[in-house]
Amino acid sequence: MASSCSFTSPLCTWLVAACMSFTCGSRDPHQPPSVLRRYTNNKREGLSAARRRKLSAKCGVGGEVVNGSLVSSFSGSSHSIQSLMASCLPFEPCNEYYSSVSSLGFFGDNGFSSFFGSNNSTATLNRRQRRLRLNRVTRSGEAMAVAVQPDEEVTTKKKPHMKQRRVVVTGMGLVSPLGHEPDVFYNNLLEGVSGISEIETFDCTSFPTKIAAEIKSFSTDGWVAPKLSKRMDKFMLYLLTAGKKALADGGITEDVMNELDKSKCGVLIGSGLGGMKVFYDAIEALRISYKKMNPFCVPFATTNMGSAMLAMDLGWMGPNYSISTACATSNFCILNAANHIIRGEANVMLCGGSDAAVIPIGLGGFVACRALSQRNNDPTKASRPWDINRDGFVMGEGAGVLLLEELEHAKKRGAKIYAEFRGGSFTSDAYHMTEPHPDGVGVILCIEKALAHSGVSREDVNYINAHATSTPAGDIKEYQALIHCFGQNRGLRVNSTKSMIGHLLGAAGAVEAIAVVQAIRTGWIHPNINLENPDAVVSTKTNFMIYDVQSNATCYASLVGQ
């Protein structure tokens, strides 16, 4: 209709829309409202004259209106707006149509013509004249007709019901302050080993905070080309290494890689802060001259380039991007990657997060926020979630990557399955940049939506790896939200991996997801160290305990007997 009215004025277009909003006769409401047919000079398609008369009779007989319905359209005529509008119709309009047109106040002997400043007026044509004019127009090939009743019944084919695709974890890779292999990492967690110590990579004597969960020894040998290792930011080196380790852990050998549909393989690994070291070095070089700047400083500073470089290295052509949502980055990436698989857009996804912000500008920025612990004399005791003496979080660095795969795809290639990803949720407090909402509504909503999406009842949840960063406000609000959602769960265990590895920022969710998968695999839950004097709120008796032992809501489950 839009194409046939492109020449009309705004008023005419409005009238077309208004008139076309009605239907004619007692049409079956389940049938399509209209079918467009085009007329040509050589061959006329559409309704026969007899059919037009039949449809005309349905609209009105002897001044009687059926269901008070109207159908109208426009066509070109230089004499009368009424005949102009009627000439497009493939059948005779009903009486109600003409009376409604006249009631607009623009029509009559002079009404509409004087509205446009014309001195010509035309008497209303009788029915026979209008019918003859209609036949002449339709034979000339200058009109579009609207058939209220289609010649044949249109049937809509329903899409066959598709069983929802299931997503499983088939590989894990990480670079962390407690080891670069999942088993080494988790054994250290079970032993209660802390990865927090004094910062060694730069002089931090002028900073009030001198500690972090720093990666002391790390090598890219066998994982990243030496040439790239010298140019890339550490967050990219961590990401590439962890990603390739996840592939190796998942049994994606060269032979398996050759069999994969690369268009259904994607990478979604985010970063909270991106290439801060590369960007910081570029600023320092700019103080001397732009000629001293690294030509790769811009691309290697962006958060998406790590995923892009890994995808290029693997030749994977599926979904490829990154998400940056601070400490929720990894969980956003994991849930979005799972959704790509569920929707059939991918069969295999590498997902997670990476950050390397333990550098002067990163440390200085968080110090300025007054967010960091200053327990420099005892670094291993600095991160103490839920303890009454906590004084801020401890920065960490590293990367965590999960290999997610569609269940049948994984079974077909004989992959080992660690756990099943059941679902998750995204919410926002919409309250403050860093402070949680006083009522914890964002966290509660996120948990409830995650449970609903995953189809897991809250009574079935027996372990939660909490966000718990060791900040005064954040720990308590999250704890109260957990009480609200799971206060009746007897035997529920809660812990914080950050008590030993600090806050890995954008990598936190993925590294902690690996800890959750390892707990499912081994049946052992790591302790929450440094909880010596629980906060008064936490000391309140509940049915669950913090094992002593993120609105980041994602649900995993063991895949026993599947």
Side-chain angles (χ1 to χ4, degrees):
M1 198 66 197
S3 61
S4 64
C5 296
S6 59
F7 61 89
T8 62
S9 69
L11 176 62
C12 291
T13 305
W14 171 78
L15 287 171
V16 170
C19 293
M20 287 302 295
S21 65
F22 293 92
T23 59
C24 180
S26 56
R27 180 180 58 84
D28 184 348
H30 298 291
Q31 286 186 319
S34 64
V35 175
L36 294 179
R37 288 186 175 274
R38 183 177 299 277
Y39 289 77
T40 63
N41 288 325
N42 298 326
K43 181 180 178 180
R44 186 181 68 180
E45 299 175 354
L47 300 175
S48 64
R51 182 165 177 78
R52 288 197 301 273
R53 286 193 296 270
K54 182 179 180 180
L55 288 173
S56 176
K58 285 186 178 181
C59 270
V61 179
E64 181 181 356
V65 179
V66 181
N67 290 343
S69 300
L70 301 175
V71 175
S72 66
S73 182
F74 281 101
S75 178
S77 172
S78 60
H79 300 291
S80 169
I81 294 298
Q82 291 175 331
S83 60
L84 172 72
M85 297 169 66
S87 61
C88 265
L89 296 175
F91 54 86
E92 179 65 24
C94 57
N95 292 343
E96 181 66 19
Y97 164 76
Y98 293 106
S99 63
S100 65
V101 168
S102 300
S103 67
L104 291 176
F106 295 113
F107 306 104
D109 293 339
N110 299 311
F112 211 94
S113 58
S114 60
F115 180 83
F116 285 102
S118 172
N119 294 324
N120 296 329
S121 62
T122 304
T124 303
L125 300 176
N126 61 35
R127 284 176 176 261
R128 179 176 178 78
Q129 289 173 318
R130 283 194 296 270
R131 187 176 295 111
L132 290 174
R133 170 170 291 182
L134 170 64
N135 292 338
R136 288 197 300 272
V137 171
T138 55
R139 290 192 182 96
S140 67
E142 296 177 1
M144 291 286 290
V146 178
V148 176
Q149 298 288 350
D151 288 338
E152 296 179 359
E153 184 177 356
V154 178
T155 58
T156 303
K157 292 184 178 180
K158 293 183 178 180
K159 292 183 178 180
H161 177 71
M162 299 292 290
K163 184 177 180 181
Q164 179 166 311
R165 288 155 58 95
R166 297 169 66 181
V167 181
V168 294
V169 181
T170 57
M172 300 179 288
L174 82 165
V175 175
S176 81
L178 287 182
H180 310 324
E181 300 296 334
D183 289 341
V184 174
F185 165 72
Y186 200 64
N187 285 335
N188 281 326
L189 289 179
L190 292 176
E191 295 292 330
V193 177
S194 176
I196 300 170
S197 61
E198 294 183 3
I199 296 173
E200 298 178 359
T201 53
F202 63 93
D203 182 8
C204 57
T205 54
S206 62
F207 293 90
T209 294
K210 302 174 176 61
I211 57 175
E214 194 176 36
I215 293 177
K216 304 297 185 182
S217 60
F218 170 70
S219 174
T220 59
D221 292 347
W223 303 108
V224 183
K227 188 176 182 180
L228 289 176
S229 294
K230 296 177 181 179
R231 294 175 174 174
M232 287 182 172
D233 190 274
K234 285 197 298 182
F235 100 93
M236 294 179 66
L237 298 178
Y238 294 162
L239 183 156
L240 291 173
T241 302
K244 292 185 177 181
K245 286 186 173 184
L247 286 177
D249 183 60
I252 305 293
T253 62
E254 185 175 350
D255 291 339
V256 174
M257 184 74 77
N258 292 334
E259 297 294 323
L260 294 177
D261 180 356
K262 302 294 179 64
S263 67
K264 289 294 188 75
C265 299
V267 183
L268 179 41
I269 306 174
S271 178
L273 297 172
M276 292 190 71
K277 180 66 165 58
V278 166
F279 201 74
Y280 176 77
D281 290 344
I283 294 173
E284 292 299 308
L286 184 60
R287 297 180 189 278
I288 302 172
S289 170
Y290 73 90
K291 297 180 180 179
K292 298 291 184 181
M293 294 174 66
N294 180 349
F296 299 97
C297 66
V298 172
F300 284 176
T302 57
T303 59
N304 73 295
M305 193 52 63
S307 286
M309 293 296 291
L310 182 55
M312 287 188 286
D313 196 0
L314 301 175
W316 286 13
M317 302 173 66
N320 177 250
Y321 58 101
S322 69
I323 297 173
S324 181
T325 50
C327 47
T329 292
S330 287
N331 274 5
F332 271 82
C333 291
I334 293 169
L335 181 49
N336 274 278
N339 286 337
H340 282 303
I341 295 175
I342 292 170
R343 293 194 297 261
E345 298 162 356
N347 293 325
V348 181
M349 290 290 297
L350 284 169
C351 55
S354 177
D355 257 323
V358 184
I359 59 175
I361 192 172
L363 180 67
F366 282 111
V367 164
C369 291
R370 300 181 181 180
L372 299 181
S373 170
Q374 298 183 18
R375 195 184 286 262
N376 299 313
N377 58 337
D378 194 359
T380 61
K381 299 283 188 179
S383 184
R384 43 198 318 111
W386 298 299
D387 189 85
I388 196 170
N389 294 315
R390 64 192 183 282
D391 66 334
F393 76 86
V394 178
M395 289 182 67
E397 61 180 354
V401 176
L402 295 179
L403 178 64
L404 297 186
E405 198 165 348
E406 194 274 325
L407 176 60
E408 297 304 321
H409 186 278
K411 290 165 67 174
K412 184 177 180 180
R413 71 176 185 87
K416 61 179 181 291
I417 297 174
Y418 293 134
E420 180 179 12
F421 180 91
R422 295 293 299 272
S425 176
F426 307 135
T427 61
S428 170
D429 269 6
Y431 175 72
H432 189 271
M433 286 190 295
T434 57
E435 293 292 320
H437 193 284
D439 297 331
V441 292
V443 181
I444 293 171
L445 179 62
C446 190
I447 293 172
E448 291 177 344
K449 290 177 65 177
L451 292 173
H453 180 255
S454 60
V456 175
S457 65
R458 62 185 68 198
E459 294 78 13
D460 293 333
V461 176
N462 58 9
Y463 168 51
I464 295 174
N465 187 298
H467 186 49
T469 60
S470 188
T471 55
D475 289 6
I476 297 305
K477 297 307 177 186
E478 182 184 18
Y479 181 83
Q480 290 173 334
L482 295 179
I483 290 287
H484 180 276
C485 294
F486 303 103
Q488 302 304 314
N489 284 33
R490 295 185 177 276
L492 175 65
R493 299 294 188 268
V494 180
N495 63 7
S496 172
T497 306
K498 293 181 181 69
S499 63
M500 288 174 271
I501 64 171
H503 195 341
L504 272 58
L505 307 176
V511 172
E512 291 161 18
I514 291 174
V516 172
V517 173
Q518 290 288 67
I520 292 173
R521 287 184 64 206
T522 65
W524 291 91
I525 300 173
H526 72 72
N528 189 88
I529 68 171
N530 300 326
L531 184 55
E532 299 169 351
N533 297 296
D535 191 285
V537 175
V538 179
S539 298
T540 304
K541 185 177 180 180
T542 62
N543 285 325
F544 68 83
M545 62 179 292
I546 296 175
Y547 192 65
D548 190 55
V549 149
Q550 339 197 6
S551 352
N552 297 330
T554 48
C555 297
Y556 300 84
S558 59
L559 199 67
V560 179
Q562 301 293 330

